[in-house]
Amino acid sequence: MSDPCPSCGNPLARRPGLFTFMGLKCDKCGISIRTNIRSRLLFILSFTLLVRHHLYIRQLGQALEQSVLWIGLALVIAPLLVTFRLPRLEVGHQQSWHSVAANGVFFFVLALLAYLWVFG
C-alpha cells in the first residue's frame, strides 16, 4: 500500500523512510515531500526514554520492581504507537534544516543507546 501525496492525494511510487535524506517528489503535482517531523520527534522521544529506562534498570539491578519495569516499557512504546498513527508524509524538503537536525539527534541517541548496551 503506497502513501498518498499530502498535496494532491495521488499515490506515491516510493515511500521515504522515517529517517532518510533522500528527496521525494510527487509524480503528478511535482511538490517535494518529506517524512512528518512530529513522527520523527516522537520516535526520538521514544528512544531517549529507552536510554533512560536502560540506565535506570542498570543502576537498580535486581532491586527493580516488576511494575517499574512494565511502566517504563509502556512509556517507551507509547510514543511509537502515536508515531504510527500520525500521517507519515508532509509537504517540504527532506534536506531542510529541521529534517537534518531531527535525523542527527535520532542517530546520536541511537549511538548512545548502542554504546550503553555495549560498554555500560
Side-chain angles (χ1 to χ4, degrees), residues 32-72:
S32 293
I33 300 168
R34 70 171 172 236
T35 306
N36 190 317
I37 296 296
R38 287 173 294 175
S39 296
R40 292 177 184 201
L41 295 177
L42 283 170
F43 207 72
I44 291 167
L45 173 66
S46 182
F47 270 82
T48 304
L49 290 172
L50 182 61
V51 168
R52 180 65 191 121
H53 189 63
H54 174 73
L55 291 174
Y56 186 73
I57 289 172
R58 280 269 173 124
Q59 183 179 9
L60 290 183
Q62 296 294 335
L64 184 69
E65 292 182 26
Q66 287 287 50
S67 61
V68 172
L69 176 68
W70 291 111
I71 290 170

Side-chain angles (χ1 to χ4, degrees), residues 94-116:
Q94 291 282 81
Q95 296 88 1
S96 61
W97 72 268
H98 41 37
S99 290
V100 173
N103 286 349
V105 170
F106 173 72
F107 291 122
F108 172 75
V109 170
L110 252 169
L112 178 63
L113 186 61
Y115 175 81
L116 288 173

Side-chain angles (χ1 to χ4, degrees), residues 12-23:
L12 299 172
R14 295 183 319 172
R15 182 179 190 190
L18 191 57
F19 293 94
T20 181
F21 290 105
M22 75 174 184

